[in-house]
Amino acid sequence: MQTELDTLIIGAGSAGLAALREVRKRTENFMIVNDGPYGTTCARVGCMPSKALIEAANAYHRRHAFDAFGITGAARLSVDVPAVLRRVRKLRDAFVAGTLKATDALGERSLAGRARLLDPNTVQVGERRLRARRIVVTTGSRPIVPAPWRALGERILTSDTLFEQESLPRRIAVVGMGALGLEIAQALSRLGVEVAGFDAARRIAGLTDEDVHAALARSVGEEFALHLGAPVELTETRDGIAVRSDQVQVVADAVVAAIGRRPNLDDLGLDTLGVELDERGMPPVDPTTMRIADLPVFLAGDANGQVPLLHEAADEGHIAGINAATGDTTCFRRRTPLAVVFCDPEVAAVGRRFAELDASRTVIGEVSFERQGRAVMAQRNHGLMRIYADRESGRLTGAEMCAPAAEHMAHLLALAIERELTAQDLLRMPFYHPVFEEGLRSALRGISSQLANGGVSDLASCDAYGVQALD
Ligand SMILES: Cc1cc2nc3c(=O)[nH]c(=O)nc-3n(C[C@H](O)[C@H](O)[C@H](O)COP(=O)(O)OP(=O)(O)OC[C@H]3O[C@@H](n4cnc5c(N)ncnc54)[C@H](O)[C@@H]3O)c2cc1C
């Protein structure tokens, strides 16, 4: 049986559902195909359950500050890990239920099954052959688990299986200290698991600014062991799984594999499109149109391997959906890069990262949160923020930070960068007292003082008091 469609969407995740919203506004002659569980990676096994786990872990961890606040009895608190995991799943189920509504109402236009491209206009799903004028591919990604590790069975956990656990073993090694691995490792450690974190890279959380990284590694390293800069080997021992890296060996009851995610493209039939694939098997995709070369095929979300973040996946689905439904291939300006890691202190990167800067054209302002007034009051005085600006114009170009409330300050900086503001423009804004943002203001002042026009006599040039209580 062959069906003729205007638009076919492959994958009902966040990108696919964003595409669906746009396609539905323009045609009724569409279908969306999804393989495996519905509900999106974000709601089912990604952003939402991971943050629910982190919130519980942080709430329990807060007891370590009680003494300093003058609150007694912290030592008598305990955590019921199975109850924590049940709450995670309960919240997860509610979030998933919300996303299911988008496809449940579609009737026959929503098809369950694995799609495979036969050519740029034809897709096979089981017995059905679907022809479409344009195709949007939003097939997402999956955790990478090296083949030899699979022999260790259920003791190799991933973000797909972690939240399904009824309880947690005593010792867990987390391999991969990028955003996902670090978030999981710290949460598990704060819930009382003996955690060791490994990464072949020298830096964690995707940071490229060595100073910010040093502050983060110092802070996180006080909570659990970090073994960086050497690849890891796993072997079965009588006592558990031996995780070996360079000179270090740790025995764990389970290992969380967080070494990255692979786009779900391997079995999709990209080779039938007639475009050259790169060494990773990826076709050329224009990030402003999401179009593959000049084909009527669009590739959006984690599947294209560009920026595997939820808001980017949603934007890309939106762009692909509009272009697929209209056939116009409009170019869209992409947003200022913004990434947050929900560890403590939070990590954020905005705009250009340190590694992308031209050092000769850049001035850097920084602030440590170790003595920042509000952070000290809250017993959250860890971290370092570094903000980058253009030396000539003072225009803000980017920032990397690990800091309390980094998620909020990063949004403020993203707004400033998006609006092409200078450090002085931002310094003219009001800063309430006492707030974490006063730390950000100190970093901006550091930039302003290095600029040729930094001393202009207006409110932007107000100096810091130089005292903890007021800055
Ligand atoms: C643990 C974890 C935490 C995260 N935390 C955050 C966070 O805090 N903030 C953030 O911004 N991002 C976070 N992310 C990333 C975010 O979840 C993803 O970027 C986003 O969900 C990607 O959406 P997508 O639509 O591209 O893919 P998905 O939601 O994975 O959708 C792809 C769909 O396509 C289906 N599919 C695959 N192959 C086929 C086929 N051949 N035929 C038909 N269907 C197919 C899949 O089964 C799936 O249903 C996190 C991810 C993880 C794993």
Side-chain angles (χ1 to χ4, degrees), residues 11 13-15 34-35 41 46-47 51 115 138-140 261 302 308-310:
S14 303
N34 189 65
D35 187 35
T41 289
C47 330
K51 267 80 250 179
T138 51
T139 48
R261 295 178 64 84
D302 281 15
L309 296 175
L310 188 280

Side-chain angles (χ1 to χ4, degrees), residues 10-17 33-48 50-51 113-116 138-141 159-160 163 180 183-184 261 264 267-268 300-303 307-313 340 342:
I10 305 176
S14 303
L17 296 182
V33 185
N34 189 65
D35 187 35
Y38 282 74
T40 78
T41 289
C42 172
R44 238 173 16 84
V45 291
C47 330
M48 304 310 266
S50 61
K51 267 80 250 179
R114 189 157 195 80
R116 189 179 159 76
T138 51
T139 48
S141 60
S159 49
D160 282 355
F163 310 113
L180 310 189
E183 287 183 357
I184 288 171
R261 295 178 64 84
N264 291 323
D267 198 22
L268 197 74
D302 281 15
V307 191
L309 296 175
L310 188 280
H311 68 283
E312 299 284 3
V340 176
F342 294 88

Side-chain angles (χ1 to χ4, degrees), residues 229-265:
V232 157
E233 259 183 41
L234 305 188
T235 44
E236 175 111 55
T237 69
R238 257 189 311 148
D239 187 30
I241 302 171
V243 187
R244 275 203 203 91
S245 141
D246 212 1
Q247 309 295 318
V248 186
Q249 173 165 315
V250 169
V251 178
D253 304 306
V255 171
V256 175
I259 56 175
R261 295 178 64 84
R262 177 166 296 135
N264 291 323
L265 296 178

Side-chain angles (χ1 to χ4, degrees), residues 94-110:
F95 292 126
V96 166
T99 67
L100 294 180
K101 287 184 193 145
T103 39
D104 281 355
L106 292 177
E108 289 188 346
R109 286 177 299 177
S110 171

